[in-house]
Amino acid sequence: MLLDLWKSNKESLENKHIQQIVTIAGGGKLKDDSACAQEVRAYLAEVDIGQIETYITQCLEKSFADSGLVLQDLINEVGRRLDFEVENGFYQGGKNKIGFDGLWHAPDNFSIVVEVKTTDAYRISLDKLARYRKELLKQGKISEESSILLVVGRKDTGDLEAQVRGSKHAWDIRIIRAEALLTLAKVKVASEEDSSEKMRHILRPVEYTLLDALVDIVYTTSQDTEDVGIVEDDILKKSIENIEKKGTWEFTETKIINSLRNQIIERFSSLKGQQLIKRTRATYWSPSRTFRIACTISKRYEREGQRYWYAYHPAWDKFLEDADDAYLILGCVDLEIIFAIPRKIIIRQLQHLNKTERADDKSYWHIAIAEFEKKKYQLVLPKNNSSLDLSPYVVGF
C-alpha cells in the first residue's frame, strides 16, 4: 500500500511526481470509492503543506491523465489544513449524485461548497453550482449559512469574475486561485492558532466596503510572527527579578529553533508511531487529529540554577485538550534530550505557575526548568515553592 511505503521509506516517494504517486496507489486509477482514491487521500493527509504545494504545481504546469481529479483531492486537503471538516466530493457526477468537488464545514457551522477548475477557459454553469447547494440544503447537509467557492488553477480569472459578477448568484459565489488558497494555508501554519478563523473567514462572501476586517487579519498575522521574541523577552525580565544588568538579553536565532523543532518532531513522531502534521508554528497533530503536541524551544541561561524558560499559551492548552493523547514538548538548544510532558500532567501544575496577562489579551504561563543538580531537571512551581521531577518525561533524540 502507498501509505505503508510512505511510512517505511519516505525518501522513495518525496521526489516522485504526483502522477507517479497515483500510479503506485491501489489499482492506479482514480475512480469514486476506489482503493486508489482512498490511498491517495490517506497519503495526502500525512504530507506537509510544502509537498502539497509541489503537487498542485505539478498538476497545473502540465496536465496528465486525471490531473484534474488529483487537483480536486489536493485542494480538499488544503481545506483540511485550514481546519475545515472536509467531505470529498465525487470525481464524476451521475444519477442521484450531487456533483460538488468538496464540502467544507467550518467550526462555527458555516459551510462552503467547493468547485475546482484547472482553468477558466470554459464557461462554468453557475446555475448548476447553485443547484448543488440547493440540493445539499434539502438534504440537511448544509444550512443557509453557506456559500460556493470556485478554486481556479490558472492565474487569468478575469472572464470567470465577470461571469459571476453578472449573474444572479453573485452574492453566494466567490473565486480564489489555488496559489492564493495555498498562501492562506501556509500563513496559517506559520502563525499562532488565533489566525485560523480569520483565514477561513476570507473565503466567505463578505462585502468589504469597510476594510477593517482585512486590516485586522494582516495585523494579527504580523503580530504572530513577532510574538516569539516578545514573549521570550518578557519571560526573562519577569522571571529573573534580581538581575540588575539590563539590555543584554540574548535570543536564539529562528533558524536554529526551527531546525531543532523539526528534528524533535521527527524523533517523537517515530517514537510514537504517529505521523505528525504541522498545524501552526508550534502545534502538530496526527491525520486523525487524536494525537497532538505543542513543541517549544529554549536556549540555556546561566542564572540562579534555572536554565530554560518557555511560554505556554492557553490556545495551545485548548488544542491539546481536544486530543486523546497530547504532549507539551520542551526542547533545549544545548541538550540531546527533550521533555515530553503529557498534557494531563501539565494541567495539574498550571495553578502553581506564574502567568502574564498582556495588554493585547494574549496571556501565557511561565515554564522554567531548573538544574539544581547536574543533569537533574525540575519544573519550577513558584506559587507553592516546589518543583516537579522531570526525569520520567525525558526522551533522547
PDB file of all heavy atoms in Angstrom, residues 274-276 284-293 319-327:
ATOM      1  N   GLN A 274       3.503   7.783  15.096  1.00  0.00           N
ATOM      2  CA  GLN A 274       2.456   8.699  14.650  1.00  0.00           C
ATOM      3  C   GLN A 274       3.036   9.673  13.632  1.00  0.00           C
ATOM      4  O   GLN A 274       4.050  10.311  13.902  1.00  0.00           O
ATOM      5  CB  GLN A 274       1.880   9.498  15.832  1.00  0.00           C
ATOM      6  CG  GLN A 274       1.134   8.659  16.856  1.00  0.00           C
ATOM      7  CD  GLN A 274      -0.308   8.425  16.461  1.00  0.00           C
ATOM      8  OE1 GLN A 274      -0.774   8.893  15.421  1.00  0.00           O
ATOM      9  NE2 GLN A 274      -1.031   7.710  17.298  1.00  0.00           N
ATOM     10  N   GLN A 275       2.400   9.774  12.470  1.00  0.00           N
ATOM     11  CA  GLN A 275       2.775  10.826  11.535  1.00  0.00           C
ATOM     12  C   GLN A 275       2.210  12.139  12.056  1.00  0.00           C
ATOM     13  O   GLN A 275       1.038  12.216  12.421  1.00  0.00           O
ATOM     14  CB  GLN A 275       2.207  10.531  10.140  1.00  0.00           C
ATOM     15  CG  GLN A 275       2.522  11.590   9.102  1.00  0.00           C
ATOM     16  CD  GLN A 275       4.003  11.705   8.800  1.00  0.00           C
ATOM     17  OE1 GLN A 275       4.757  10.760   8.989  1.00  0.00           O
ATOM     18  NE2 GLN A 275       4.423  12.864   8.338  1.00  0.00           N
ATOM     19  N   LEU A 276       3.031  13.173  12.126  1.00  0.00           N
ATOM     20  CA  LEU A 276       2.607  14.457  12.670  1.00  0.00           C
ATOM     21  C   LEU A 276       2.594  15.515  11.577  1.00  0.00           C
ATOM     22  O   LEU A 276       3.565  15.662  10.831  1.00  0.00           O
ATOM     23  CB  LEU A 276       3.517  14.885  13.811  1.00  0.00           C
ATOM     24  CG  LEU A 276       3.387  14.043  15.090  1.00  0.00           C
ATOM     25  CD1 LEU A 276       4.494  14.388  16.079  1.00  0.00           C
ATOM     26  CD2 LEU A 276       2.017  14.247  15.728  1.00  0.00           C
ATOM     27  N   TYR A 284       1.221  20.490  16.369  1.00  0.00           N
ATOM     28  CA  TYR A 284       1.185  19.408  15.380  1.00  0.00           C
ATOM     29  C   TYR A 284       0.107  18.417  15.801  1.00  0.00           C
ATOM     30  O   TYR A 284      -0.183  18.248  16.989  1.00  0.00           O
ATOM     31  CB  TYR A 284       2.530  18.679  15.324  1.00  0.00           C
ATOM     32  CG  TYR A 284       3.697  19.543  14.899  1.00  0.00           C
ATOM     33  CD1 TYR A 284       4.239  20.498  15.769  1.00  0.00           C
ATOM     34  CD2 TYR A 284       4.282  19.402  13.646  1.00  0.00           C
ATOM     35  CE1 TYR A 284       5.311  21.292  15.388  1.00  0.00           C
ATOM     36  CE2 TYR A 284       5.355  20.193  13.259  1.00  0.00           C
ATOM     37  CZ  TYR A 284       5.862  21.130  14.133  1.00  0.00           C
ATOM     38  OH  TYR A 284       6.921  21.912  13.753  1.00  0.00           O
ATOM     39  N   TRP A 285      -0.442  17.729  14.790  1.00  0.00           N
ATOM     40  CA  TRP A 285      -1.392  16.659  15.112  1.00  0.00           C
ATOM     41  C   TRP A 285      -1.316  15.545  14.088  1.00  0.00           C
ATOM     42  O   TRP A 285      -0.749  15.700  13.001  1.00  0.00           O
ATOM     43  CB  TRP A 285      -2.811  17.181  15.264  1.00  0.00           C
ATOM     44  CG  TRP A 285      -3.391  17.949  14.094  1.00  0.00           C
ATOM     45  CD1 TRP A 285      -2.867  18.088  12.833  1.00  0.00           C
ATOM     46  CD2 TRP A 285      -4.599  18.697  14.105  1.00  0.00           C
ATOM     47  NE1 TRP A 285      -3.678  18.863  12.063  1.00  0.00           N
ATOM     48  CE2 TRP A 285      -4.760  19.251  12.808  1.00  0.00           C
ATOM     49  CE3 TRP A 285      -5.577  18.951  15.076  1.00  0.00           C
ATOM     50  CZ2 TRP A 285      -5.854  20.040  12.469  1.00  0.00           C
ATOM     51  CZ3 TRP A 285      -6.662  19.737  14.726  1.00  0.00           C
ATOM     52  CH2 TRP A 285      -6.799  20.266  13.444  1.00  0.00           C
ATOM     53  N   SER A 286      -1.857  14.393  14.467  1.00  0.00           N
ATOM     54  CA  SER A 286      -1.905  13.262  13.544  1.00  0.00           C
ATOM     55  C   SER A 286      -3.022  13.494  12.533  1.00  0.00           C
ATOM     56  O   SER A 286      -3.902  14.332  12.753  1.00  0.00           O
ATOM     57  CB  SER A 286      -2.183  11.973  14.331  1.00  0.00           C
ATOM     58  OG  SER A 286      -3.452  12.055  14.968  1.00  0.00           O
ATOM     59  N   PRO A 287      -3.024  12.781  11.403  1.00  0.00           N
ATOM     60  CA  PRO A 287      -4.105  12.950  10.427  1.00  0.00           C
ATOM     61  C   PRO A 287      -5.493  12.733  11.021  1.00  0.00           C
ATOM     62  O   PRO A 287      -6.458  13.370  10.605  1.00  0.00           O
ATOM     63  CB  PRO A 287      -3.778  11.902   9.357  1.00  0.00           C
ATOM     64  CG  PRO A 287      -2.292  11.757   9.428  1.00  0.00           C
ATOM     65  CD  PRO A 287      -1.959  11.895  10.898  1.00  0.00           C
ATOM     66  N   SER A 288      -5.592  11.859  12.023  1.00  0.00           N
ATOM     67  CA  SER A 288      -6.883  11.618  12.678  1.00  0.00           C
ATOM     68  C   SER A 288      -7.217  12.704  13.701  1.00  0.00           C
ATOM     69  O   SER A 288      -8.333  12.761  14.220  1.00  0.00           O
ATOM     70  CB  SER A 288      -6.865  10.266  13.393  1.00  0.00           C
ATOM     71  OG  SER A 288      -5.929  10.280  14.469  1.00  0.00           O
ATOM     72  N   ARG A 289      -6.231  13.548  14.014  1.00  0.00           N
ATOM     73  CA  ARG A 289      -6.354  14.651  14.973  1.00  0.00           C
ATOM     74  C   ARG A 289      -6.509  14.184  16.419  1.00  0.00           C
ATOM     75  O   ARG A 289      -6.782  14.972  17.314  1.00  0.00           O
ATOM     76  CB  ARG A 289      -7.521  15.577  14.594  1.00  0.00           C
ATOM     77  CG  ARG A 289      -7.397  16.131  13.182  1.00  0.00           C
ATOM     78  CD  ARG A 289      -8.445  17.167  12.863  1.00  0.00           C
ATOM     79  NE  ARG A 289      -8.259  17.703  11.506  1.00  0.00           N
ATOM     80  CZ  ARG A 289      -8.975  18.686  10.984  1.00  0.00           C
ATOM     81  NH1 ARG A 289      -9.941  19.245  11.688  1.00  0.00           N
ATOM     82  NH2 ARG A 289      -8.739  19.110   9.759  1.00  0.00           N
ATOM     83  N   THR A 290      -6.298  12.912  16.684  1.00  0.00           N
ATOM     84  CA  THR A 290      -6.447  12.379  18.040  1.00  0.00           C
ATOM     85  C   THR A 290      -5.150  12.428  18.834  1.00  0.00           C
ATOM     86  O   THR A 290      -5.155  12.325  20.056  1.00  0.00           O
ATOM     87  CB  THR A 290      -6.951  10.925  17.994  1.00  0.00           C
ATOM     88  OG1 THR A 290      -6.039  10.139  17.206  1.00  0.00           O
ATOM     89  CG2 THR A 290      -8.341  10.860  17.359  1.00  0.00           C
ATOM     90  N   PHE A 291      -4.011  12.573  18.151  1.00  0.00           N
ATOM     91  CA  PHE A 291      -2.703  12.664  18.793  1.00  0.00           C
ATOM     92  C   PHE A 291      -2.148  14.052  18.487  1.00  0.00           C
ATOM     93  O   PHE A 291      -2.022  14.440  17.316  1.00  0.00           O
ATOM     94  CB  PHE A 291      -1.782  11.577  18.240  1.00  0.00           C
ATOM     95  CG  PHE A 291      -0.415  11.555  18.888  1.00  0.00           C
ATOM     96  CD1 PHE A 291      -0.206  10.839  20.060  1.00  0.00           C
ATOM     97  CD2 PHE A 291       0.659  12.225  18.324  1.00  0.00           C
ATOM     98  CE1 PHE A 291       1.052  10.806  20.655  1.00  0.00           C
ATOM     99  CE2 PHE A 291       1.913  12.203  18.905  1.00  0.00           C
ATOM    100  CZ  PHE A 291       2.111  11.492  20.073  1.00  0.00           C
ATOM    101  N   ARG A 292      -1.793  14.809  19.536  1.00  0.00           N
ATOM    102  CA  ARG A 292      -1.391  16.198  19.338  1.00  0.00           C
ATOM    103  C   ARG A 292      -0.222  16.578  20.239  1.00  0.00           C
ATOM    104  O   ARG A 292      -0.108  16.069  21.354  1.00  0.00           O
ATOM    105  CB  ARG A 292      -2.568  17.151  19.614  1.00  0.00           C
ATOM    106  CG  ARG A 292      -3.807  16.831  18.801  1.00  0.00           C
ATOM    107  CD  ARG A 292      -4.923  17.834  19.047  1.00  0.00           C
ATOM    108  NE  ARG A 292      -6.127  17.467  18.315  1.00  0.00           N
ATOM    109  CZ  ARG A 292      -7.210  18.236  18.214  1.00  0.00           C
ATOM    110  NH1 ARG A 292      -7.218  19.426  18.806  1.00  0.00           N
ATOM    111  NH2 ARG A 292      -8.253  17.819  17.525  1.00  0.00           N
ATOM    112  N   ILE A 293       0.594  17.493  19.736  1.00  0.00           N
ATOM    113  CA  ILE A 293       1.679  18.019  20.563  1.00  0.00           C
ATOM    114  C   ILE A 293       1.828  19.520  20.332  1.00  0.00           C
ATOM    115  O   ILE A 293       1.482  20.041  19.273  1.00  0.00           O
ATOM    116  CB  ILE A 293       3.027  17.318  20.297  1.00  0.00           C
ATOM    117  CG1 ILE A 293       3.549  17.665  18.903  1.00  0.00           C
ATOM    118  CG2 ILE A 293       2.932  15.826  20.484  1.00  0.00           C
ATOM    119  CD1 ILE A 293       4.971  17.222  18.691  1.00  0.00           C
ATOM    120  N   PHE A 319      -5.902  23.389  22.380  1.00  0.00           N
ATOM    121  CA  PHE A 319      -5.612  22.481  21.277  1.00  0.00           C
ATOM    122  C   PHE A 319      -5.303  21.076  21.797  1.00  0.00           C
ATOM    123  O   PHE A 319      -5.821  20.078  21.290  1.00  0.00           O
ATOM    124  CB  PHE A 319      -4.439  23.027  20.465  1.00  0.00           C
ATOM    125  CG  PHE A 319      -3.879  22.092  19.435  1.00  0.00           C
ATOM    126  CD1 PHE A 319      -4.576  21.812  18.274  1.00  0.00           C
ATOM    127  CD2 PHE A 319      -2.629  21.505  19.625  1.00  0.00           C
ATOM    128  CE1 PHE A 319      -4.052  20.957  17.317  1.00  0.00           C
ATOM    129  CE2 PHE A 319      -2.096  20.643  18.671  1.00  0.00           C
ATOM    130  CZ  PHE A 319      -2.813  20.372  17.520  1.00  0.00           C
ATOM    131  N   LEU A 320      -4.464  20.983  22.826  1.00  0.00           N
ATOM    132  CA  LEU A 320      -4.095  19.686  23.389  1.00  0.00           C
ATOM    133  C   LEU A 320      -5.265  19.030  24.106  1.00  0.00           C
ATOM    134  O   LEU A 320      -5.408  17.800  24.098  1.00  0.00           O
ATOM    135  CB  LEU A 320      -2.921  19.850  24.346  1.00  0.00           C
ATOM    136  CG  LEU A 320      -1.606  20.359  23.749  1.00  0.00           C
ATOM    137  CD1 LEU A 320      -0.542  20.468  24.837  1.00  0.00           C
ATOM    138  CD2 LEU A 320      -1.125  19.483  22.609  1.00  0.00           C
ATOM    139  N   GLU A 321      -6.111  19.828  24.707  1.00  0.00           N
ATOM    140  CA  GLU A 321      -7.246  19.309  25.478  1.00  0.00           C
ATOM    141  C   GLU A 321      -8.166  18.449  24.631  1.00  0.00           C
ATOM    142  O   GLU A 321      -8.756  17.478  25.113  1.00  0.00           O
ATOM    143  CB  GLU A 321      -8.032  20.482  26.071  1.00  0.00           C
ATOM    144  CG  GLU A 321      -9.240  20.068  26.900  1.00  0.00           C
ATOM    145  CD  GLU A 321     -10.050  21.258  27.378  1.00  0.00           C
ATOM    146  OE1 GLU A 321      -9.868  22.361  26.807  1.00  0.00           O
ATOM    147  OE2 GLU A 321     -10.863  21.088  28.299  1.00  0.00           O
ATOM    148  N   ASP A 322      -8.295  18.771  23.358  1.00  0.00           N
ATOM    149  CA  ASP A 322      -9.241  18.085  22.488  1.00  0.00           C
ATOM    150  C   ASP A 322      -8.685  16.795  21.886  1.00  0.00           C
ATOM    151  O   ASP A 322      -9.313  16.198  21.008  1.00  0.00           O
ATOM    152  CB  ASP A 322      -9.684  19.022  21.351  1.00  0.00           C
ATOM    153  CG  ASP A 322     -10.500  20.192  21.876  1.00  0.00           C
ATOM    154  OD1 ASP A 322     -11.134  20.043  22.941  1.00  0.00           O
ATOM    155  OD2 ASP A 322     -10.509  21.257  21.229  1.00  0.00           O
ATOM    156  N   ALA A 323      -7.528  16.331  22.343  1.00  0.00           N
ATOM    157  CA  ALA A 323      -6.911  15.111  21.817  1.00  0.00           C
ATOM    158  C   ALA A 323      -7.097  13.943  22.784  1.00  0.00           C
ATOM    159  O   ALA A 323      -7.310  14.132  23.987  1.00  0.00           O
ATOM    160  CB  ALA A 323      -5.428  15.337  21.572  1.00  0.00           C
ATOM    161  N   ASP A 324      -6.993  12.728  22.243  1.00  0.00           N
ATOM    162  CA  ASP A 324      -6.986  11.543  23.099  1.00  0.00           C
ATOM    163  C   ASP A 324      -5.632  11.381  23.795  1.00  0.00           C
ATOM    164  O   ASP A 324      -5.553  10.875  24.912  1.00  0.00           O
ATOM    165  CB  ASP A 324      -7.279  10.285  22.259  1.00  0.00           C
ATOM    166  CG  ASP A 324      -8.682  10.276  21.672  1.00  0.00           C
ATOM    167  OD1 ASP A 324      -9.551  10.993  22.220  1.00  0.00           O
ATOM    168  OD2 ASP A 324      -8.901   9.580  20.659  1.00  0.00           O
ATOM    169  N   ASP A 325      -4.585  11.796  23.108  1.00  0.00           N
ATOM    170  CA  ASP A 325      -3.223  11.669  23.633  1.00  0.00           C
ATOM    171  C   ASP A 325      -2.481  12.946  23.262  1.00  0.00           C
ATOM    172  O   ASP A 325      -2.373  13.287  22.071  1.00  0.00           O
ATOM    173  CB  ASP A 325      -2.545  10.439  23.010  1.00  0.00           C
ATOM    174  CG  ASP A 325      -1.293  10.022  23.763  1.00  0.00           C
ATOM    175  OD1 ASP A 325      -1.085  10.500  24.895  1.00  0.00           O
ATOM    176  OD2 ASP A 325      -0.525   9.202  23.218  1.00  0.00           O
ATOM    177  N   ALA A 326      -1.971  13.682  24.252  1.00  0.00           N
ATOM    178  CA  ALA A 326      -1.402  15.003  23.976  1.00  0.00           C
ATOM    179  C   ALA A 326      -0.189  15.268  24.851  1.00  0.00           C
ATOM    180  O   ALA A 326      -0.151  14.860  26.023  1.00  0.00           O
ATOM    181  CB  ALA A 326      -2.460  16.078  24.203  1.00  0.00           C
ATOM    182  N   TYR A 327       0.788  15.995  24.282  1.00  0.00           N
ATOM    183  CA  TYR A 327       2.035  16.276  24.986  1.00  0.00           C
ATOM    184  C   TYR A 327       2.470  17.719  24.761  1.00  0.00           C
ATOM    185  O   TYR A 327       2.314  18.267  23.670  1.00  0.00           O
ATOM    186  CB  TYR A 327       3.163  15.364  24.487  1.00  0.00           C
ATOM    187  CG  TYR A 327       2.964  13.901  24.793  1.00  0.00           C
ATOM    188  CD1 TYR A 327       2.174  13.116  23.964  1.00  0.00           C
ATOM    189  CD2 TYR A 327       3.556  13.317  25.908  1.00  0.00           C
ATOM    190  CE1 TYR A 327       1.978  11.774  24.238  1.00  0.00           C
ATOM    191  CE2 TYR A 327       3.370  11.974  26.190  1.00  0.00           C
ATOM    192  CZ  TYR A 327       2.579  11.201  25.349  1.00  0.00           C
ATOM    193  OH  TYR A 327       2.385   9.877  25.626  1.00  0.00           O
TER     194      TYR A 327
END
